[in-house]
Amino acid sequence: MFNQDQMKQIAGEAAIKYIKQDMVIGVGTGSTVKYFIDKLSTMRNDIKGVVSSSLQSTELLKTYNIPVLDLNSVGQVDIYIDGADEINHYLEMIKGGGGALTKEKIITACSKKFICIADESKYVPKLGTFPLPIEVIPMARSYVAREILKLGGTPDWRSGVLTENGNYILDIHHLDIQKPIELEEKINNIVGVVTNGLFAKRSADILILGKKNRQIEIINR
Ligand code: 5RP
């Protein structure tokens, strides 16, 4: 039986088979992505480079001398590889446990293909057990929290944490997420919200799951 870390490793490493010559790759953030980047280092001379979603991933890419590209210069990425905190059977996700959700969502929007890599504990019938992260402009923290209460959620300020964009994170507990796309849009419409961690409007195209039984399962949308 594999433990969670081993499941993350096989999922992250399996994504390498989707990487082709001269591609521009986008990478997310987190412990599963780390395994993908480790593997990508073996192909660093074959790709154009990587658009990174966080300082953490950028550091690792630089350690391997993988070229880090600016999204504004490349315009689009051929493939985006990222983890998730939860992913449902429509490949809609909750992301942002690591606080990098805004840059992750920006790269997602510019990607031709989105591959999610995860251990099997992340694959759930319904989103919402994992608290939904929302990045907010600091002065709007308490206003956004009050609006979230009206939606039935319980906001919890990730105190002491500033995102790379200089904002706060609210983690929302007890949300009843029946319609992820509708809720994503509703939360985005609250003034002061920068991004919410529902990745439903642009869901993943492919899910690579690492499983306890040491196997990989590929799920297409
Ligand atoms: C970071 C994320 C990560 O993808 C998510 O938290 C999963 O992380 P890990 O691979 O460490 O379990 O959304 O903002």
Side-chain angles (χ1 to χ4, degrees), residues 8-174:
K8 287 179 183 201
Q9 180 167 2
I10 54 171
E13 292 181 353
I16 202 73
K17 79 165 187 191
Y18 293 91
I19 307 305
K20 309 280 181 247
Q21 193 80 24
D22 289 329
M23 272 187 167
V24 172
I25 322 289
V27 295
T29 302
S31 49
T32 318
V33 162
K34 181 196 168 296
Y35 287 117
F36 170 70
I37 296 176
D38 289 345
K39 196 80 181 168
L40 187 64
S41 65
T42 62
M43 288 187 71
R44 71 166 169 269
N45 296 322
D46 302 317
I47 57 171
K48 283 206 181 111
V50 175
V51 176
S52 169
S53 63
S54 64
L55 295 174
Q56 186 195 98
S57 292
T58 301
E59 285 295 308
L60 186 59
L61 291 162
K62 285 186 173 163
T63 311
Y64 284 126
N65 288 321
I66 300 173
V68 177
L69 307 173
D70 167 36
L71 184 60
N72 289 312
S73 309
V74 294
Q76 231 188 2
V77 304
D78 294 298
I79 196 159
Y80 179 62
I81 313 281
D82 199 357
D85 297 304
E86 281 183 347
I87 180 161
N88 69 14
H89 299 181
Y90 300 100
L91 308 195
E92 299 165 328
M93 292 153 280
I94 286 183
K95 292 184 42 53
L101 62 164
T102 298
K103 289 187 191 171
E104 291 175 344
K105 210 177 250 194
I106 293 168
I107 307 176
T108 302
C110 300
S111 62
K112 291 187 201 161
K113 187 177 270 187
F114 180 176
I115 299 185
C116 179
I117 48 179
D119 66 87
E120 68 178 341
S121 71
K122 309 283 183 67
Y123 192 47
V124 296
K126 186 172 178 230
L127 300 176
T129 302
F130 191 91
L132 176 69
I134 303 185
E135 179 164 354
V136 299
I137 300 288
M139 75 173 288
R141 173 176 60 86
S142 123
Y143 169 72
V144 173
R146 289 196 300 275
E147 292 300 301
I148 291 295
L149 284 169
K150 291 182 196 163
L151 295 176
T154 310
D156 183 18
W157 178 25
R158 225 184 269 182
S159 175
V161 172
L162 263 194
T163 69
E164 288 180 22
N165 312 305
N167 297 316
Y168 291 157
I169 300 270
L170 294 174
D171 290 303
I172 315 302
H173 298 254
H174 311 126

